[in-house]
Amino acid sequence: MATLMPSASAFNGPLETGVRAVFVLHAHFPRAVDLNRLTAMDYLVVRTSVLDGPADLHPPTPIMSPVTQVRRKSVQSAVALMMSRGLIEQVVDQSGILFQAGDNAEFFVTALQTPYLRQLYDRAEWLAGYFQNYSDGAFDDLMRNLLTNWVSEFQDEASGPAL
């Protein structure tokens, strides 16, 4: 009998990541965001406690960094999937390529009523409110600080317990 090996985490396939992206972009509408911010928000929407927000939606993982190439590629694939369904739209302006909730996002978000997805949307709305007045520079500074803290924690854990 063949053994099935998962190719992606249960939480990070294109569909799951795409649903998170639609919920985040819907909560931020009409604001459009670039792929870097959307990638960071994909992490933060399930890890709101790092911003002193609601309890995390997903269980802890050993690798806490939100800005890995793997996550970015997953978000890119998810955005493409959701764009093909009219749930996310690409916007091009002077700042570059941005993404916002598409025409079908409202129906999609309101049609999905599971307890998990309601909690996800509550956190997406909380996140939109938290970052409402953040400039791109302030957002980038926050993410840089969070990443520095995670790298420091990882290095502390890798070096073993203090004697």
Side-chain angles (χ1 to χ4, degrees):
M1 184 185 325
T3 303
L4 295 178
M5 297 298 292
S7 60
S9 162
F11 299 123
N12 292 319
L15 180 60
E16 297 81 5
T17 303
V19 168
R20 288 194 303 269
V22 171
F23 276 53
V24 165
L25 292 172
H26 183 268
H28 282 78
F29 193 81
R31 183 172 186 182
V33 300
D34 67 14
L35 188 62
N36 288 336
R37 187 178 282 224
L38 187 57
T39 300
M41 287 192 193
D42 178 63
Y43 177 83
L44 293 171
V45 75
V46 297
R47 304 272 183 234
T48 45
S49 70
V50 301
L51 301 173
D52 296 324
D56 290 346
L57 192 55
H58 288 180
T61 57
I63 300 174
M64 299 297 288
S65 174
V67 289
T68 64
Q69 286 298 91
V70 172
R71 183 173 291 274
R72 182 179 167 89
K73 288 178 183 176
S74 179
V75 171
Q76 278 180 307
S77 297
V79 166
L81 174 64
M82 296 303 166
M83 284 176 61
S84 74
R85 304 299 184 258
L87 298 169
I88 293 178
E89 293 179 358
Q90 183 174 296
V91 177
V92 179
D93 70 9
Q94 69 279 1
S95 64
I97 299 172
L98 307 173
F99 302 97
Q100 70 181 54
D103 291 339
N104 297 330
E106 176 73 24
F107 175 77
F108 182 76
V109 168
T110 57
L112 299 176
Q113 294 294 318
T114 67
Y116 170 84
L117 292 173
R118 290 294 92 212
Q119 290 179 51
L120 177 65
Y121 193 68
D122 289 345
R123 283 161 178 79
E125 286 187 317
W126 181 86
L127 199 61
Y130 185 92
F131 288 117
Q132 182 177 9
N133 296 318
Y134 267 66
S135 67
D136 288 338
F139 184 86
D140 291 344
D141 288 345
L142 173 68
M143 293 310 298
R144 206 172 1 266
N145 288 338
L146 288 174
L147 182 59
T148 298
N149 291 341
W150 286 316
V151 168
S152 295
E153 288 174 19
F154 179 76
Q155 288 173 341
D156 288 346
E157 288 178 12
S159 64
L163 299 176

